[in-house]
Each structure stands twice: as structure tokens, then as C-alpha cells.
Amino acid sequence: MRKPKTKKLKLKSNRAAAKRFKVTASGKVKRGQSMKRHLLTKKAPGRKRGLAKMVLVSEADTPNVRRMLLA
């Protein structure tokens, strides 16, 4: 008797990574910056504005992040 065909399971992306990283149209991975949560009175306004921007994930970390996102 033959075994019934089994469907291939869909892989789930890491939900924590999905909330923290975005993939750009060109395929690069963006992340938010740290140091913007507390102790903001001592930080200069320009520094705080700069921390609000997204930056690219380093090339060394990109393969791991991509694997978590399944992208």
C-alpha cells in the first residue's frame, strides 16, 4: 500500500525579527536605532533626530536577519 502524499509545510518567519526589520526594494535590510527610549534630556536635539532614522543592517548580520525573515 502506498503512502498518501504529504504537503510541504510552510516555514514561519521569526515574529520578533519581522517587527524589527524591513527589507527594501533593492533587497537590503533596514533596522531602527537604539538609544532613543530614555535619558533623552542629556542628548542634543540633532542627535535625537538622527537616532529616529532607520539605518541598514551590517553586511555581517544581513544573512542571519534574512534567514529569520525568510526573505
Side-chain angles (χ1 to χ4, degrees):
M1 194 162 144
R2 266 196 283 183
K3 285 191 218 173
K5 285 189 177 182
T6 57
K7 287 186 180 179
K8 202 166 193 182
L9 296 174
K10 289 186 178 180
L11 295 174
K12 290 185 177 183
S13 61
N14 183 310
R15 298 316 296 158
K19 292 167 188 170
R20 287 167 172 80
F21 302 104
K22 300 277 180 256
V23 180
T24 63
S26 62
K28 295 175 183 172
V29 184
K30 294 195 310 185
R31 64 167 176 84
Q33 295 191 69
S34 59
M35 309 294 183
K36 190 78 197 305
R37 296 287 179 203
H38 60 99
L39 301 176
L40 298 174
T41 52
K42 63 171 80 171
K43 293 173 186 156
R47 182 177 168 194
K48 288 189 273 192
R49 280 195 304 275
L51 289 171
K53 296 175 183 170
M54 300 277 277
V55 291
L56 295 177
V57 173
S58 71
E59 286 186 33
D61 295 327
T62 300
N64 291 331
V65 174
R66 215 176 262 290
R67 194 174 304 118
M68 287 191 281
L69 295 175
L70 301 175

